[in-house]
Structure formats: structure tokens, C-alpha cells
Amino acid sequence: MAISRAFNERYGIHVDIITGKGAEFIQRLLTEKRIGGIVGDVIDNNPANVKLLKGEGLTTGIADELPVLRDKNIWVADILGLDPQDKHLLGFNFSTYGPWINTNLVKPGDEPKDWKDYLDPRWKGKMLATNPTTSAGLLNIFIPLLREKAIDEDYIKALYKQDIRFSSNYPDDAAMLSRGERSITFSATDSVYAQFIAQGAPIKSIERDNTVLTLTVVAAISGAPHPNAARLFANWFLSPEGQTVWAKAASVGSVRKDVTDFRPEAARIKVRNPIITTNEDTDLAAKLFQQQWLNKLWGRQ
């Protein structure tokens, strides 16, 4: 992997990467803790899983020891925002949710500028989103926006009256937009659309207010065999060099403002007024998805 090679070249420290599903890692670390044999030094995963590990005493705070975090103005969003008090969870990557447009169907200057613009009659019958019966994609957008009062339930009800067409999943969403079956979509993450854009699809990200960001985090493991190496790695990973290697290899945007975005121009997210998805947002979205809250609000049940 590019990250392990680059870190090895910089410091002469070999990095073993253990891959697997989040739930598997949680059980593995709990077992290692029980038998007194922690193997790993750092973990990266979604915030919910790392938060669970933190609750089990399996993470430790190192943010105050990292020189890279002394500059407060270099970050796209607050990378400590998911754990501001203890600072165990360090954001190293963010994903964003729409909107995206088909450039053959939406003329320059006509792009919606704010969430309220989607209620314009011109977009009726021209919007696309993942099906709220099978995906929590829309809830992952709406919950943070509701929390910050950027929208309200009346807005969500009015949006449904715009005759939204629903796709079955994120890749299907991107494919439908690419084929011109709708003009705008706003429920899938940037990583999905970047792949289509790289293949020549007429899709473009548009600048928007109140951009919803979902962070992926890294944390140092408590009781790790190499705590100094863990701090060194975390500091390097968040540095311009580490973030450049990561952004280029993973084809994602960096959490740093001073790192090049290697994705096609059309896939680059222009963040304004970022709203970071919290653990509570994720938990609530999952709960409301199980209850089919959005479908009930829209009278689809």
C-alpha cells in the first residue's frame, strides 16, 4: 500500500496492515485486550466503530502530542470535532454527499446554490436520490441539516413533492445521472461519482452551502506495543506529505487545505459552511431508517 511504503521510506519503519470488517476488528481487539496481547498500534475506521473501542478503553488520546495539529487554520473542517474533549478520534478523510449535476442538462449559472433552491419548480421531475426504503443515504444528509436548522420537516415534505425519482443504490444513482435520466442528484458520496467522472461521465459537483461531511478517523490503540511509532505515524499521516500520498492513492480530497486534490476537476468538492456528521447523527439516521421515518413522513407507507 502507498501509505506503508511512503512511511517506510521516510522513517525506515515497516508497517504491517491488517484489513477486515469493522465488527471483526472490534472483536479482535477485545480479545487481544482480554488476553493481554494487543498487536496493533493504530486503527482507522468509521467513527462509530472507533467510538465503541474508545468506550472499551482501547484507544488513547495523542492529539496534544502531535506537532502537526498546532496549526489550527490548515484544515478543511475540524478533524477533532467528533471527540473534542478527549481527542482520541482524529479525522483523516472526509466524504461528502451531493449535490451532483449532469452537465449536459444543467446549464452553467443555473445550478442550485442552496438547499432551498431544490424547491424551485424548474427542478420538479428532474431530481434523483437513493431509495429511502433500502438506503439511509438521504437520512445521512437530512439529520445533520435538521440539527443545524439548515432545513426543517416542512422542507423535506416540500422536497418530496418535487417528484423525486429513486435509485436502488449509490452506483445505480450515478449511472442514472450519467445517462441523463435526471438532471440532479444529492444522496450519494463523492467517492462513487469520482469513479464515473474519471471514466468520462458528464457529471459535476456543484458548490453548495451547508456541506455535510462524514469523517473517517484514526486513533492510537491503548496498550499498543509501539506507542512512539503510533504517534509518529499519526503525525506523518496528517502532515502534507502523508495526506498527499493518501489523497493520490485513494483518489479522495484531503482534510488539509494545502494538499493537492488529484481527482478530476468535476469531482472536486467545494466546501462551504461544513457540517460534520456526528456519532449521534449516524445513530439517529440508523434508528430512523429502521423505523422508515422518511417514508412515513412522505406518506409512502
Side-chain angles (χ1 to χ4, degrees):
M1 183 179 178
I3 289 293
S4 58
R5 289 196 303 268
F7 187 71
N8 192 353
E9 290 173 1
R10 170 61 64 186
Y11 296 106
I13 299 175
H14 178 70
V15 178
D16 287 319
I17 300 176
I18 303 171
T19 60
K21 297 179 180 179
E24 294 173 353
F25 271 110
I26 292 173
Q27 291 304 314
R28 174 176 177 149
L29 282 169
L30 288 173
T31 300
E32 291 178 359
K33 178 185 178 182
R34 186 171 62 252
I35 65 177
I38 298 292
V39 175
D41 297 297
V42 296
I43 183 169
D44 71 83
N45 214 294
N46 68 65
N49 284 335
V50 180
K51 184 182 178 183
L52 285 174
L53 293 175
K54 179 187 174 186
E56 294 289 345
L58 278 164
T59 62
T60 185
I62 60 173
D64 291 336
E65 304 172 50
L66 303 184
V68 73
L69 295 181
R70 292 173 186 165
D71 190 341
K72 307 297 183 183
N73 300 314
I74 202 65
W75 311 104
V76 173
D78 182 6
I79 64 171
L80 298 175
L82 294 176
D83 191 20
Q85 182 173 348
D86 298 326
K87 304 176 184 178
H88 286 206
L89 280 64
L90 310 175
F92 72 89
N93 180 70
F94 67 82
S95 297
T96 65
Y97 289 94
W100 301 82
I101 62 170
N102 182 303
T103 55
N104 293 333
L105 301 176
V106 181
K107 298 178 182 179
D110 288 345
E111 304 98 332
K113 302 297 189 299
D114 196 274
W115 291 102
K116 67 178 184 297
D117 291 343
Y118 296 105
L119 302 182
D120 191 310
R122 78 166 76 181
W123 304 123
K124 187 169 185 177
K126 297 181 180 180
M127 294 189 290
L128 176 70
T130 50
N131 194 327
T133 302
T134 58
S135 168
L138 280 172
L139 284 170
N140 289 329
I141 301 173
F142 290 157
I143 297 303
L145 292 173
L146 287 167
R147 168 171 53 82
E148 293 298 316
K149 296 181 172 55
I151 63 173
D152 56 23
E153 286 191 13
D154 287 339
Y155 171 86
I156 298 175
K157 292 177 181 178
L159 185 65
Y160 180 64
K161 294 178 181 178
Q162 288 286 74
D163 188 22
I164 299 173
R165 180 175 177 181
F166 295 111
S167 60
S168 57
N169 53 52
Y170 290 164
D172 185 41
D173 190 286
M176 291 169 68
L177 184 70
S178 178
R179 293 193 296 264
E181 296 181 29
R182 284 292 190 273
S183 302
I184 300 173
T185 186
F186 47 80
S187 59
T189 58
D190 52 329
S191 59
V192 175
Y193 287 97
Q195 298 173 28
F196 278 78
I197 291 170
Q199 296 170 10
I203 297 175
K204 177 185 175 182
S205 169
I206 57 176
E207 190 171 3
R208 81 300 302 263
D209 280 320
N210 299 313
T211 306
V212 177
L213 304 182
T214 299
L215 287 175
T216 306
V217 298
V218 62
I221 298 174
S222 179
H226 311 104
N228 290 332
R231 287 190 286 272
L232 182 64
F233 177 81
N235 192 75
W236 174 84
F237 196 25
L238 293 171
S239 72
E241 180 182 356
Q243 281 288 292
T244 296
V245 173
W246 169 249
K248 189 172 184 179
S251 190
V252 295
S254 173
V255 291
R256 297 183 61 103
K257 297 176 182 177
D258 58 350
V259 168
T260 300
D261 193 329
F262 296 94
R263 297 173 296 179
E265 177 65 31
R268 298 176 188 176
I269 305 298
K270 300 166 181 63
V271 176
R272 291 196 321 222
N273 305 323
I275 297 175
I276 298 177
T277 302
T278 66
N279 296 319
E280 292 73 21
D281 291 336
T282 302
D283 292 344
L284 181 57
K287 178 181 178 181
L288 294 180
F289 174 68
Q290 290 296 324
Q291 296 174 352
Q292 291 295 297
W293 174 82
L294 192 53
N295 285 296
K296 293 175 183 177
L297 185 70
W298 284 342
R300 299 182 74 223
Q301 284 191 338

